[in-house]
Amino acid sequence: MSVLVFAIFAAAACGGALAVVLSQNVVRMAFWLIISLSSVAGLFFLLNADFVGATQLLIYVGGTVVLLIFGVMLTAQGPYVNLKTNPAEVVLSLAVGGAVFAMLFAAFSGVNWESNSERLSAEFGSASVQTPGYNQQGEGSTVRRIGGALSGLRTESLRDGRPVERPGYLLPFEIVSVHLLVVLVGASYLARAKRRVPGTEPPKGPTA
Amino acid sequence: MMLPLAATTIVESLASWLASWVSSSPDAVRFVAAALHIALLAVFFGLPAFAFIWAERKVSARIQDRLGPTHCGGRFGWLQSLADGIKLIQKEDLAPAAADQMLFRLSPYLVVIASFASFLFMPFSDGWVAVALDCGLFIGLAVLSLEVLGVVLAGYSSGSKWSLFGGMRETAQMVSYEIPLGLTAVVPVLICGTMNLNEICHMQSGWFTNWLIFHSPFTFAAFFVFFVVTLASNKRAPFDLAEAESELVGGFHTEYSGMRWSFFFLAEYASMFFVSGLGVLLFLGGWWTGIAPIDSALSGVLGGYPGRVLGLLVFFSKSSLLVVVQIWIRWTLPRLRIDQVMETCLKYLVPISCFLFIGSVMYPLVWLTVLGRPTLWPVSSIGTRVPVLPRVATPIAPTPEHLHPHEHGDGPGQHSHEPADHSSGERVPASVPLDRKVTLRGER
């Protein structure tokens, strides 16, 4: 059953991505992007990575796509924006996309999947390879592990099942959060209302 | 055979119940159980919406000194929503010539799906939840915020300036109101140290003084900020700028008619119920009655079944009460201007929620410094706790540090031991706070 669900979500993700490329209208592209990104979130849920899936929904689908549509709606001149690509762009994007695909394919075919799955099932037993049931082991448990790792406490289980304490990701987390704060302050500085100081030359543009 | 309600979720109980009747593959059984549960959830999604649409008409009529619906379904017109629904199904499905046909037809479904999906993560009673996740609150809010996408796309694809304005206002409003919504929803998470709605609710068992709204002055204020923000995020008055009928004809749904139009309203009323339920779960004790003897008396009877049914009723009554308050506010307050809406959010609600967030972080620390304990009152006087409704035959003895997870105050400190617990191989299912099983204590 999990294979079936995987097939549905994977098909939706790939189909949505294709439709993003093939459609001409920007807002329709955003719609297909929603389908594609939500399906990726579905794949995360299928892998029991509930927190990553929820974040995918919140950040990408809820945040980025809304901003995208909003930006399109604010900047569009005509009623519907249609994108026309010139041949040079097509060639360039084909080259870049082909290179990325070749790299991924090389990486994919370079792995000996057969022996890996054998080794995994030998090490962890057949139980962990099978799909877990509802709300059983592994499901819904990623939040605390991620939270612990981000606050500097990370535990890994060794191959024999023994937990080891490892340094967490507190410093990168802090760096990222301070960076985001700087970005936030900078964005609000750029977007502030430009007030005229009395006695000075009024600005040329239509800003008030 | 009785439903084994001691299982974790309804899907699990349904699956094990079905498995006891038919000998089929577990996947098929689980699929049927999930389908049944989705149907059940659809009832919980649709019925409150129908009831609240009727309530909206009735309450608004009473506030305006009218009678409201009186004929359809007897004296109180309680079948009015059904009559409306039948009328809307019969209407012609129109799409304007200027519209982007595909998006115009699809966006109502997007709204309904987002609203319905958020119900998957809401526990209606102890363990009665479709998907019990540790990040239940987070993902519920994430899915709910997808509703705005459908509204924006509907506004854009209608090919009408009124719709476009409505959609843009909705986006601007949602994007800014998500900040205080997240900040106030984090306050209970901070106190409980978990994002699992089931566990948050369990920490509010016992007398109503244990409800998080009475936990500190900051949580008390946070509830009201949360409520105001949910009004805005549901585009309810006084924040219903997206459909301001006096300026924008109908806002984002100007061009819609018939069933597609009604989908927007089905989703709106269902989300009203969802955010009210979220407020109840986070601040108002969830499905607990707030009277400790009742909950404790029922917790051990018949496998916790009557307790859970009572919890369901209590949860529905509390949430419905909040919905009625939303309706009351809508018909009392005038609509704000769009600049006032943004000002309310960015100049007042965001700083207030930041302050409340910091306040609830500092609150236990201050008492720890001054009094030597993280609460104002001694731990022993916190009131009676209701034991967790029984799920397993062998209760796990409570460890002292788990007796009152409520009083730990800050999340990270409480859960610093958690990763070690999980990696040691013994994992408690997410929605079963076995380690929080608490014995009855003396009343205050």
Side-chain angles (χ1 to χ4, degrees):
Chain A
M1 184 142 122
S2 64
V3 176
L4 182 71
V5 178
F6 173 81
I8 292 172
F9 279 120
C14 297
L18 266 182
V20 170
V21 177
L22 292 178
S23 60
Q24 300 282 313
N25 184 322
V26 178
V27 176
R28 276 200 192 182
M29 283 181 198
F31 176 76
W32 290 117
L33 200 61
I34 296 169
I35 301 288
S36 183
L37 291 174
S38 318
S39 310
V40 173
L43 289 179
F44 283 137
F45 289 127
L46 196 64
L47 293 170
N48 287 332
D50 51 349
F51 187 76
V52 185
T55 313
Q56 166 93 5
L57 280 181
L58 188 74
I59 306 290
Y60 282 97
V61 186
T64 312
V65 175
V66 165
L67 283 184
L68 191 72
I69 298 176
F70 202 38
V72 168
M73 278 162 51
L74 280 177
T75 53
Q77 298 293 323
Y80 297 111
V81 189
N82 283 316
L83 285 190
K84 297 201 173 49
T85 46
N86 57 29
E89 285 171 342
V90 171
V91 170
L92 190 68
S93 53
L94 269 182
V96 173
V100 171
F101 180 75
M103 187 194 73
L104 286 177
F105 189 77
F108 176 78
S109 54
V111 179
N112 189 350
W113 296 101
E114 201 62 40
S115 76
N116 270 358
S117 62
E118 273 168 21
R119 225 170 62 209
L120 275 177
S121 54
E123 268 173 23
F124 296 104
S126 56
S128 65
V129 176
Q130 283 170 4
T131 328
Y134 288 94
N135 308 106
Q136 279 164 17
Q137 279 205 343
E139 184 167 350
S141 68
T142 53
V143 178
R144 283 174 190 179
R145 265 187 259 173
I146 290 174
L150 285 182
S151 52
L153 197 113
R154 187 161 63 101
T155 354
E156 277 184 1
S157 10
L158 293 182
R159 286 200 177 150
D160 53 359
R162 198 156 42 84
V164 201
E165 300 287 326
R166 291 276 162 79
Y169 307 106
L170 185 58
L171 185 64
F173 179 71
E174 288 298 325
I175 291 172
V176 168
S177 48
V178 170
H179 179 79
L180 283 177
L181 184 69
V182 170
V183 168
L184 204 65
V185 171
S188 52
Y189 174 76
L190 286 179
R192 77 199 190 282
K194 278 101 183 167
R195 256 192 230 109
R196 244 177 282 165
V197 180
T200 54
E201 193 78 4
K204 289 274 178 344
T207 51
Chain B
M1 181 188 158
M2 209 179 109
L3 280 173
L5 283 151
T8 313
T9 63
I10 294 187
V11 173
E12 254 189 8
S13 8
L14 277 174
S16 56
W17 183 61
L18 285 171
S20 69
W21 284 103
V22 283
S23 54
S24 174
S25 75
D27 271 354
V29 164
R30 209 175 278 154
F31 182 77
V32 172
L36 277 177
H37 193 188
I38 288 292
L40 192 68
L41 208 58
V43 173
F44 279 117
F45 173 74
L47 272 188
F50 265 58
F52 295 140
I53 289 173
W54 171 78
E56 174 103 55
R57 302 181 69 146
K58 212 64 186 166
V59 170
S60 68
R62 289 296 172 172
I63 287 176
Q64 295 169 344
D65 205 13
R66 292 184 286 121
L67 284 176
T70 49
H71 292 298
C72 202
R75 215 181 131 201
F76 299 105
W78 54 273
L79 276 181
Q80 187 62 44
S81 302
L82 189 66
D84 285 348
I86 291 170
K87 180 194 78 176
L88 287 166
I89 289 173
Q90 291 170 343
K91 278 189 158 185
E92 190 187 351
D93 187 20
L94 291 170
D100 184 334
Q101 300 286 329
M102 186 195 82
L103 291 181
F104 184 80
R105 287 176 196 283
L106 279 178
S107 41
Y109 296 110
L110 209 62
V111 175
V112 171
I113 288 170
S115 178
F116 180 68
S118 60
F119 274 70
L120 291 175
F121 309 105
M122 161 159 288
F124 289 97
S125 184
D126 180 24
W128 286 5
V129 53
V131 190
L133 290 175
D134 254 3
C135 60
L137 172 65
F138 180 62
I139 190 170
L141 290 178
V143 170
L144 193 71
S145 73
L146 300 187
E147 213 186 310
V148 67
L149 277 173
V151 171
V152 176
L153 283 177
Y156 181 82
S157 62
S158 293
S160 146
K161 55 183 173 181
W162 309 121
S163 304
L164 187 62
F165 272 126
M168 284 181 60
R169 284 181 175 188
E170 167 71 7
T171 331
Q173 193 174 317
M174 269 301 290
V175 167
S176 36
Y177 273 86
E178 261 178 27
I179 304 165
L181 181 66
L183 278 173
T184 45
V186 148
V187 168
V189 173
L190 194 82
I191 292 160
C192 298
T194 173
M195 285 197 285
N196 189 332
L197 288 169
N198 229 330
E199 288 182 27
I200 290 178
C201 194
H202 268 301
M203 292 189 191
Q204 308 178 50
S205 64
W207 285 100
F208 59 88
T209 45
N210 287 342
W211 294 358
L212 285 182
I213 186 175
F214 302 121
H215 182 259
S216 72
F218 301 104
T219 55
F220 189 77
F223 169 70
F224 292 99
V225 176
F226 178 84
F227 186 72
V228 170
V229 173
T230 54
L231 282 183
S233 70
N234 259 348
K235 43 187 192 308
R236 292 288 299 177
F239 303 105
D240 57 345
L241 270 296
E243 48 199 291
E245 71 274 354
S246 50
E247 318 153 35
L248 295 183
V249 188
F252 65 93
H253 58 72
T254 305
E255 303 292 342
Y256 281 89
S257 71
M259 240 4 232
R260 289 180 208 280
W261 178 84
S262 69
F263 278 155
F264 285 115
F265 283 88
L266 182 67
E268 177 178 330
Y269 283 88
S271 320
M272 273 167 73
F273 180 72
F274 176 77
V275 292
S276 303
L278 214 55
V280 166
L281 282 171
L282 290 180
F283 292 100
L284 295 179
W287 53 78
W288 300 110
T289 52
I291 304 163
I294 296 180
D295 289 332
S296 338
L298 280 173
S299 71
V301 183
L302 289 175
Y305 185 64
R308 287 197 173 89
V309 171
L310 179 73
L312 185 75
L313 294 177
V314 167
F315 177 76
F316 264 86
S317 340
K318 285 181 186 172
S319 312
S320 308
L321 206 65
L322 279 189
V323 171
V324 170
V325 173
Q326 289 188 351
I327 294 173
W328 174 24
I329 288 175
R330 171 170 175 185
W331 296 98
T332 308
L333 294 180
R335 183 180 299 128
L336 299 177
R337 279 198 325 259
I338 184 69
D339 61 320
Q340 290 170 331
V341 167
M342 303 310 282
E343 200 161 289
T344 312
C345 176
L346 297 175
K347 286 193 183 164
Y348 297 101
L349 290 175
V350 170
I352 288 173
S353 50
C354 284
F355 169 74
L356 292 174
F357 176 77
I358 295 172
S360 351
V361 174
M362 299 303 288
Y363 185 76
L365 287 181
V366 168
W367 292 130
L368 198 64
T369 320
V370 178
L371 297 173
R373 56 171 184 257
T375 45
L376 181 56
W377 310 105
V379 168
S380 56
S381 76
I382 200 80
T384 316
R385 286 274 169 180
V386 178
V388 169
L389 298 183
R391 293 233 178 91
V392 283
T394 51
I396 292 171
T399 50
E401 61 173 347
H402 281 134
L403 268 177
H404 286 281
H406 195 116
E407 284 87 47
H408 280 274
D410 53 342
Q414 187 198 339
H415 282 286
S416 54
H417 62 280
E418 285 285 355
D421 282 355
H422 291 311
S423 54
S424 64
E426 288 195 358
R427 218 195 99 56
V428 180
S431 72
V432 189
L434 289 174
D435 50 355
R436 302 227 162 70
K437 180 163 171 57
V438 173
T439 49
L440 284 172
R441 302 187 141 248
E443 288 176 23
R444 150 178 325 198

